[in-house]
Amino acid sequence: MSTGIATRKDKANAKRAESKPWRKTILCVDDDLNLLAIRRRLLENAGYLVLTTPSGLESLKVFSTGIVDAVILDYEMPIMNGGDVAAQMHRMKDDVPLILVSGAIILQENL
């Protein structure tokens, strides 16, 4: 059964997040696995626990667990873009900071 968490390291970090609430947990969502690896390394080096998912749908499963303190979302993803994911996350829990990032030059005006 899939938990929506991408790797073994993510599963271990999810357990740590539950047992160490003083340490902030950031969920990174991007369909580019190389960018996820870079973000993970940067944020872990800064002292955060990092969870990663490669899709919006999987990220919603992880977000719903309640262990996430902040989210970094890629805007351009297949099936469900970051704007749609952010809107659903905001409806679930509106006090979690959501950061949308994109390598695209032009974003939609309705952000």
Side-chain angles (χ1 to χ4, degrees), residues 2 5 16 23 26 32 38 44 46-47 53 57 59 64 73 76 79 81 84 92 97 101-103 111:
S2 174
I5 298 176
R16 282 189 204 104
R23 199 162 168 207
I26 298 178
D32 185 325
I38 291 167
E44 285 180 344
T53 64
L57 293 174
S59 71
S64 70
L73 288 158
E76 293 291 329
I79 302 172
N81 71 41
D84 294 337
M92 285 186 214
V101 296
S102 179
L111 289 178

Side-chain angles (χ1 to χ4, degrees), residues 77-97:
M77 292 187 291
I79 302 172
M80 184 179 232
N81 71 41
D84 294 337
V85 175
Q88 286 195 31
M89 287 179 174
H90 184 73
R91 282 193 292 274
M92 285 186 214
K93 192 170 182 194
D94 65 358
D95 63 339
V96 175

Side-chain angles (χ1 to χ4, degrees), residues 3-111:
T3 61
I5 298 176
T7 66
R8 287 184 186 179
K9 187 162 191 166
D10 289 315
K11 290 177 185 178
N13 280 348
K15 287 182 183 179
R16 282 189 204 104
E18 291 170 351
S19 66
K20 297 181 180 180
W22 50 269
R23 199 162 168 207
K24 299 297 181 186
T25 301
I26 298 178
L27 172 60
C28 292
V29 186
D30 200 317
D31 58 324
D32 185 325
L33 300 181
N34 291 322
L35 290 176
L36 278 179
I38 291 167
R39 283 192 193 108
R40 173 192 294 281
R41 182 168 293 160
L42 289 170
L43 292 166
E44 285 180 344
N45 286 344
Y48 295 98
L49 289 172
V50 180
L51 305 176
T52 62
T53 64
S55 76
L57 293 174
E58 287 183 46
S59 71
L60 291 171
K61 292 176 189 174
V62 174
F63 187 81
S64 70
T65 65
I67 61 172
V68 175
D69 297 300
V71 181
I72 301 173
L73 288 158
D74 179 27
Y75 184 80
E76 293 291 329
M77 292 187 291
I79 302 172
M80 184 179 232
N81 71 41
D84 294 337
V85 175
Q88 286 195 31
M89 287 179 174
H90 184 73
R91 282 193 292 274
M92 285 186 214
K93 192 170 182 194
D94 65 358
D95 63 339
V96 175
L98 305 171
I99 300 169
L100 283 166
V101 296
S102 179
I105 296 172
I106 300 173
L107 291 175
Q108 294 178 356
E109 290 185 29
N110 63 351
L111 289 178

